Amino acid sequence: MDLDYTTNEPKMEKDYSESVKALQPEVEQLLASGQLRAALDKLHGLEKKTRAAADLWSTSQLLERMVDACGAASEWVMLEQEVAAMSKKHGQLKQAIAKMVQRAMTYVDKTPDEQTRIELIDSLRTVTEGKIHVEVERARLTRMRVAVYEAHGQINEACDTLQEIQAETYGSMDRREKTDFILEQMRLCLAKRDYIRMAIISHKINPKYFQRDDTEDLKLRFYELMIQYDLHEGNYLEVSRHYNHIYTTKSISEDAAKWPGVLQNILLYLVLSPFDNEQSDMLHRVQRDHNLEKLELCTRLAKGFTTMELTRWPAVESVYGPEFRKTDVFSAQTDDGAARWMTLRDRVIEHNIRVIAKYYTRATISRLTELLDLGADDVEAFLSRAVVAGTIYARVDRPAGAVSFTKPREGEEQLNAWASDVGKLLGLVEKTTHLIAKEEIVNKIARAI
């Protein structure tokens, strides 16, 4: 049998469309009289001929009519049997199977009870298993089955079942539906607390896809899920970036009721992030946002972290505590909120240490305890962390009770500094000699005149 390369199906040898149309009244009469088995036998007889002749339209019509007959009669077991039997017939056309499955899926929501619904879904999933021409239908059926698992609180089963579907490899599935499917996998992984798999799945989505105008809802879902993941991991800089993506979304930036909370979260999670070049750069960019000026406390907090001046923690606690402890970020009612509030304290102290390292070459431990509002042991602990992180240079002299912030020069650096100083000195001598010679010449000319 020759292959029709436009449909990837065998070429039609005979057209049975008229026979199908002629059979319809007879089938309707049998169904009206309650003779479902007799009607199915009639359809089976003609279906065998249309399948052998590779008549796609006629075969599809007959298969769909079988499904409709069983569904209309509420013969759910017979419906499952018919679909399974027709899909296994020798030489069955792929597109006809797809249309039959699609028609059967319309009856899932018409089942009388949940058990029947589950049995029909499982039967259709079995039929579509391993068949690439019905991969999209199998994915949708799997979503239905997962919804049932989730409704019964079986999160692990729901997550594992949905992981069976590799939607990103389905060429026949629309990209939006693929993204929606992957987002659902991410959500269930979070619900299962499988954070490693959730991170792996998140890489299947290209954020550039969200630049399209019709993907805002998917974009918001994606970044909300990523925020939950990075909050669990303690990646506050990434959380701030995710909120920044949400902030730049049109529906958020144009809604005066939504953008202030998002912008506030951007700043709060940014100051909670450990200091580095990326954090500092992003903090300065957020500070330049004109909308930040409308949030007074956030403006003052950003200024405190971008200005090289000491910010005393007791003052920070009294100024920002009453307002920020009511937010989800620093909520006093949750353990995470309390932990983040203490993290903010650590960030304030680290900022103060950087300020001190900039203006002091040497300071006593007792003076540092006054400036940082800490005990001597805590001062050493914070200094050690800052040195290990590479944000400052410091050496503690315990016998002398002092800290040096001046980094000693290497021999080569010292020689280069001396050579530079000598070079500058010789340059000044040469310039002075030139000016003296110039004055002498001017005086000689004046006397000659």
Side-chain angles (χ1 to χ4, degrees):
M1 186 176 288
D2 295 332
L3 188 67
D4 184 352
Y5 292 101
T6 59
T7 60
N8 202 29
E9 300 278 15
K11 288 185 178 180
M12 184 171 65
E13 297 180 355
K14 187 177 179 180
D15 186 359
Y16 281 93
S17 58
E18 294 301 325
S19 300
V20 172
K21 294 175 182 178
L23 184 64
Q24 291 293 347
E26 186 178 352
V27 171
E28 294 296 339
Q29 186 177 358
L30 290 171
L31 291 174
S33 61
Q35 301 180 57
L36 177 59
R37 176 50 62 188
L40 291 176
D41 290 340
K42 289 283 186 182
L43 293 170
H44 288 162
L46 185 55
E47 183 273 336
K48 184 176 181 180
K49 296 178 182 179
T50 59
R51 173 163 39 90
D55 185 351
L56 177 60
W57 184 86
S58 298
T59 305
S60 300
Q61 289 292 312
L62 293 170
L63 294 181
E64 289 178 345
R65 192 67 191 90
M66 294 176 195
V67 171
D68 288 337
C70 295
S74 297
E75 292 289 345
W76 306 110
V77 175
M78 189 175 292
L79 172 58
E80 297 168 14
Q81 293 172 348
E82 286 296 317
V83 173
M86 290 299 104
S87 65
K88 295 177 181 178
K89 291 292 185 181
H90 176 70
Q92 188 61 275
L93 303 175
K94 296 176 182 177
Q95 292 186 35
I97 296 175
K99 290 182 179 180
M100 176 182 66
V101 171
Q102 290 168 6
R103 181 60 63 89
M105 287 172 63
T106 63
Y107 287 94
V108 170
D109 293 331
K110 299 178 183 179
T111 50
D113 53 64
E114 188 177 61
Q115 185 57 37
T116 305
R117 175 187 172 89
I118 293 173
E119 290 174 358
L120 180 56
I121 292 173
D122 289 341
S123 176
L124 293 176
R125 289 187 69 229
T126 302
V127 169
T128 56
E129 186 176 6
K131 296 183 176 66
I132 195 171
H133 51 281
V134 284
E135 60 186 7
V136 176
E137 286 74 18
R138 177 172 173 77
R140 292 169 182 165
L141 287 164
T142 302
R143 285 284 295 269
M144 296 178 187
R145 188 67 180 92
V146 165
V148 176
Y149 277 132
E150 197 171 2
H152 288 85
Q154 298 173 293
I155 300 300
N156 290 348
E157 290 79 358
C159 184
D160 294 340
T161 301
L162 203 61
Q163 299 309 315
E164 298 172 4
I165 306 300
Q166 304 298 322
E168 68 278 3
T169 65
Y170 291 178
S172 54
M173 183 180 283
D174 177 70
R175 188 174 183 183
R176 181 182 176 83
E177 188 175 0
K178 283 184 188 179
T179 306
D180 178 64
F181 204 95
I182 295 171
L183 288 174
E184 191 66 11
Q185 290 179 329
M186 291 169 60
R187 184 185 68 82
L188 287 174
C189 283
L190 279 178
K192 186 185 176 183
R193 300 185 181 279
D194 189 351
Y195 296 101
I196 295 176
R197 186 175 293 278
M198 189 274 181
I200 294 171
I201 293 174
S202 68
H203 293 304
K204 296 179 181 179
I205 296 179
N206 186 351
K208 291 183 179 179
Y209 172 63
F210 298 130
Q211 294 174 359
R212 296 170 52 175
D213 294 335
D214 60 341
T215 59
E216 280 197 6
D217 57 327
L218 299 177
K219 177 181 179 180
L220 294 176
R221 282 175 58 196
F222 173 74
Y223 285 114
E224 285 168 2
L225 291 171
M226 292 305 299
I227 286 169
Q228 293 180 48
Y229 167 75
D230 282 309
L231 280 177
H232 174 266
E233 297 296 315
N235 298 329
Y236 295 128
L237 184 59
E238 292 301 320
V239 172
S240 182
R241 286 197 182 110
H242 299 326
Y243 272 115
N244 191 49
H245 285 295
I246 293 175
Y247 177 66
T248 56
T249 304
K250 188 175 180 181
S251 61
I252 300 297
S253 60
E254 294 180 354
D255 191 337
K258 294 180 179 178
W259 69 256
V262 176
L263 183 57
Q264 177 177 275
N265 286 341
I266 293 173
L267 179 66
L268 295 183
Y269 283 112
L270 198 51
V271 298
L272 285 174
S273 307
F275 176 82
D276 58 21
N277 292 335
E278 289 184 60
Q279 187 263 2
S280 177
D281 176 66
M282 189 171 177
L283 183 57
H284 281 83
R285 282 190 282 114
V286 170
Q287 189 183 22
R288 290 194 295 269
D289 191 322
H290 296 300
N291 284 332
L292 192 66
E293 298 173 1
K294 301 174 184 177
L295 307 175
E296 182 183 354
L297 280 180
C298 292
T299 303
R300 293 171 63 183
L301 183 63
K303 185 178 180 180
F305 275 90
T306 53
T307 305
M308 294 305 286
E309 296 178 0
L310 290 177
T311 305
R312 308 295 286 269
W313 171 247
V316 171
E317 196 169 20
S318 62
V319 173
Y320 303 106
E323 184 68 26
F324 287 162
R325 292 310 297 272
K326 298 177 184 178
T327 64
D328 292 337
V329 181
F330 298 118
S331 174
Q333 308 301 322
T334 64
D335 293 339
D336 289 339
R340 292 189 198 109
W341 186 248
M342 296 311 298
T343 301
L344 178 63
R345 170 181 172 272
D346 293 348
R347 298 295 177 256
V348 170
I349 295 171
E350 290 167 4
H351 167 77
N352 291 339
I353 288 175
R354 292 193 297 274
V355 173
I356 292 170
K358 179 177 181 180
Y359 293 114
Y360 281 76
T361 57
R362 185 179 175 85
T364 62
I365 295 290
S366 59
R367 178 58 176 157
L368 291 178
T369 58
E370 295 175 10
L371 294 174
L372 298 176
D373 300 300
L374 294 173
D377 292 340
D378 290 334
V379 168
E380 285 196 23
F382 276 98
L383 283 172
S384 301
R385 273 188 241 160
V387 171
V388 171
T391 56
I392 65 166
Y393 174 88
R395 288 292 180 269
V396 179
D397 185 352
R398 282 199 180 93
V403 179
S404 173
F405 297 103
T406 304
K407 186 176 182 179
R409 291 178 176 177
E410 300 287 340
E412 187 176 348
E413 291 180 1
Q414 189 66 51
L415 289 174
N416 288 337
W418 288 343
S420 176
D421 291 342
V422 171
K424 290 178 182 178
L425 177 62
L426 292 176
L428 290 172
V429 170
E430 185 179 355
K431 185 177 181 180
T432 303
T433 305
H434 174 72
L435 291 173
I436 292 172
K438 181 179 178 181
E439 284 294 323
E440 289 178 349
I441 293 171
V442 170
N443 287 331
K444 286 180 181 178
I445 293 174
R447 285 197 299 270
I449 295 174

